[in-house]
Amino acid sequence: MQEDPQAKSKPPIRDHPRSDMEFGGIKPKAFQRDEKSSKCLVYILVIMVIQGSILLVFASYFLRARTPGFEIGSVEVRNLKYGNSSAPSFNFTLVTQVTVENTNFGDFRFDNSTGSVWCGSEVVGLMKIPKGRAQARASEMMKVSTQVSSVRLSDANNLASNMSYGLLELKSYVKLSGKVTIMNIMKRRRNPEMNCFMKLNLTGNTIQRLKCD
Ligand SMILES: *[C@@H]1O[C@H](CO)[C@@H](O)[C@H](O)[C@H]1NC(C)=O
Ligand SMILES: *[C@@H]1O[C@H](CO)[C@@H](O)[C@H](O)[C@H]1NC(C)=O
Ligand SMILES: *[C@@H]1O[C@H](CO)[C@@H](O)[C@H](O)[C@H]1NC(C)=O
Ligand SMILES: *[C@@H]1O[C@H](CO)[C@@H](O)[C@H](O)[C@H]1NC(C)=O
Ligand SMILES: *[C@@H]1O[C@H](CO)[C@@H](O)[C@H](O)[C@H]1NC(C)=O
């Protein structure tokens, strides 16, 4: 870079008889200036890298779309009717408080969905979750009523043994389908799932053990 200008880009200097001497005097200065500017460049690069990593940390914390939490907060049994030994059956309304916990710095909007309540390996109730929205860093709570009945079972007779102990084991599964939107620039699909186990005490009319994964 220091020799090219001599040859090409500065023809007027070439015409001058003392041009070589002058260049000889200027060269070290130009060299010093280059050293300074390359140091400057390094500083600028370092600052850019630091800024970049700060931005990256910021982005990965604020812009990351986390899967919202989804669980049953509380559960209540209403209108419980059950038959004993000779004709085992049950029919009741499961009133659940469902919580969508959004830890994102943006809204989570979800569609309506239908989950299921299981007794053993068969479905005994459908859990209908309405569509909704959990605001940024907030929880959305919904009351969901599910009619649970043994009429859906193909064979209610093997219920007898379970019910004779006075406890009925139930499972529930729901998957939500929704979108997290952060600052209008980040849109990501997120599908939180809820898997809960509970034991219904028939004589006590209560849910004894509620556990969600
Ligand atoms: C279950 O109970 C509800 C009301 O609590 C009733 O409408 C429904 O017919 C009952 N179902 C069965 C199969 O008994
Ligand atoms: C959501 O609601 C619409 C109309 O209300 C219904 O047609 C659709 O089956 C529902 N979807 C689910 C998954 O429940
Ligand atoms: C009955 O109880 C057995 C043993 O606890 C369990 O494996 C089975 O799933 C239960 N059946 C129903 C319908 O709850
Ligand atoms: C079922 O019936 C038997 C006798 O009729 C009774 O001893 C038992 O407590 C009943 N079980 C429940 C869960 O009500
Ligand atoms: C069911 O609940 C009743 C009353 O709360 C209690 O006395 C009984 O021990 C419970 N049954 C079981 C199997 O835990």
Side-chain angles (χ1 to χ4, degrees):
M1 274 212 57
Q2 282 149 2
E3 275 148 28
D4 269 356
Q6 219 175 357
K8 284 178 189 169
S9 64
K10 287 181 179 172
I13 293 170
R14 195 169 31 179
D15 289 346
H16 203 278
R18 278 166 48 180
S19 66
D20 277 355
M21 276 173 64
E22 271 182 16
F23 259 87
I26 290 164
K27 243 180 200 167
K29 258 191 193 169
F31 191 68
Q32 271 179 7
R33 208 178 295 147
D34 262 23
E35 218 175 289
K36 259 186 200 164
S37 68
S38 72
K39 250 186 201 168
C40 227
L41 204 72
V42 168
Y43 290 146
I44 288 172
L45 277 174
V46 166
I47 288 168
M48 271 168 70
V49 166
I50 290 171
Q51 273 184 338
S53 30
I54 288 172
L55 212 71
L56 216 70
V57 168
F58 174 86
S60 64
Y61 183 67
F62 290 98
L63 297 184
R64 198 175 65 206
R66 301 162 182 84
T67 302
F70 183 33
E71 59 175 32
I72 291 178
S74 70
V75 58
E76 213 183 299
V77 176
R78 289 193 192 148
N79 311 318
L80 173 66
K81 289 190 197 79
Y82 65 95
N84 202 351
S85 49
S86 57
S89 70
F90 57 81
N91 182 26
F92 59 91
T93 309
L94 201 62
V95 182
T96 51
Q97 174 109 39
V98 172
T99 308
V100 177
E101 192 190 358
N102 183 15
T103 54
N104 291 296
F105 289 88
D107 281 6
F108 175 65
R109 284 168 195 273
F110 48 92
D111 295 333
N112 60 330
S113 66
T114 304
S116 42
V117 177
W118 302 70
C119 178
S121 56
E122 289 185 274
V123 173
V124 288
L126 295 179
M127 213 168 171
K128 291 196 191 308
I129 313 279
K131 73 172 184 180
R133 165 176 172 242
Q135 289 184 316
R137 301 188 70 70
S139 290
E140 168 75 2
M141 284 187 244
M142 294 167 285
K143 210 158 217 181
V144 176
S145 291
T146 305
Q147 196 59 41
V148 181
S149 171
S150 58
V151 287
R152 289 170 178 275
L153 291 174
S154 56
D155 182 12
N157 283 323
N158 52 18
L159 267 178
S161 61
N162 300 59
M163 290 176 70
S164 63
Y165 292 112
L167 286 180
L168 187 64
E169 277 182 46
L170 299 167
K171 279 183 293 184
S172 69
Y173 175 78
V174 191
K175 183 177 182 177
L176 281 186
S177 155
K179 235 183 237 172
V180 172
T181 306
I182 302 170
M183 294 175 197
N184 269 327
I185 50 173
M186 271 274 308
K187 281 199 174 79
R188 288 282 182 280
R189 281 223 151 264
R190 286 293 176 263
N191 306 312
E193 290 173 74
M194 174 178 82
N195 235 325
C196 295
F197 300 86
M198 56 194 103
K199 282 183 180 173
L200 168 62
N201 179 330
L202 294 163
T203 48
N205 204 356
T206 51
I207 292 292
Q208 262 182 345
R209 221 165 289 164
L210 173 67
K211 197 170 125 272
C212 292
D213 290 348

